[in-house]
Amino acid sequence: MFSFFRKLFKNGVAFRRRSLPNRASYPASTPQVTPQVRELLNVFIGDHSRTELQANLRLSDRENFRINYLVPAIENDVVELTIPDKPKSSKQRYRLTEKEKKARQE
């Protein structure tokens, strides 16, 4: 196997990693909101439990909802927990952040 790579390098062929754009070149103030998060934001009126949100979106898989909808919304600071100290509480509810409420009014 190593002889194969030696032949490539002897012939002047070298593998190059694709250069990716520098992360610093992207502005930090523009969060990338996925279509799933946009769909989640459309059903928000007040505080909701996870099951209410899932029912409104007609989703049955809890894990899919958490990974693709809820976690990205929380990470993008558009949804917040009503009990942030206890994220696994059975009484946990979710609401829009003040930042997102202001963005909706504009």
Side-chain angles (χ1 to χ4, degrees), residues 5-93:
F5 289 112
R6 284 185 189 152
K7 287 179 186 176
L8 285 177
F9 284 108
K10 282 182 183 178
N11 295 333
V13 178
F15 293 103
R16 293 184 191 169
R17 288 188 174 180
R18 290 174 48 189
S19 61
L20 298 174
N22 186 359
R23 287 182 153 241
S25 66
Y26 295 112
S29 62
T30 55
Q32 298 298 317
V33 178
T34 64
Q36 291 90 350
V37 172
R38 284 193 188 122
E39 195 176 340
L40 175 65
L41 295 176
N42 289 335
V43 300
F44 259 99
I45 301 172
D47 296 355
H48 297 281
S49 68
R50 181 197 51 79
T51 53
E52 289 172 354
L53 291 170
Q54 264 187 256
N56 291 342
L57 292 168
R58 295 186 180 105
L59 297 172
S60 59
D61 188 8
R62 180 179 179 174
E63 192 68 12
N64 173 54
F65 173 74
R66 189 180 66 80
I67 291 171
N68 294 317
Y69 291 78
L70 198 55
V71 171
I74 293 169
E75 287 175 350
N76 284 319
D77 198 30
V78 293
V79 173
E80 64 186 1
L81 289 72
T82 56
I83 312 170
D85 298 336
K86 298 179 182 178
K88 294 185 179 184
S89 171
S90 62
K91 296 179 182 3
Q92 185 63 262
R93 297 179 69 78

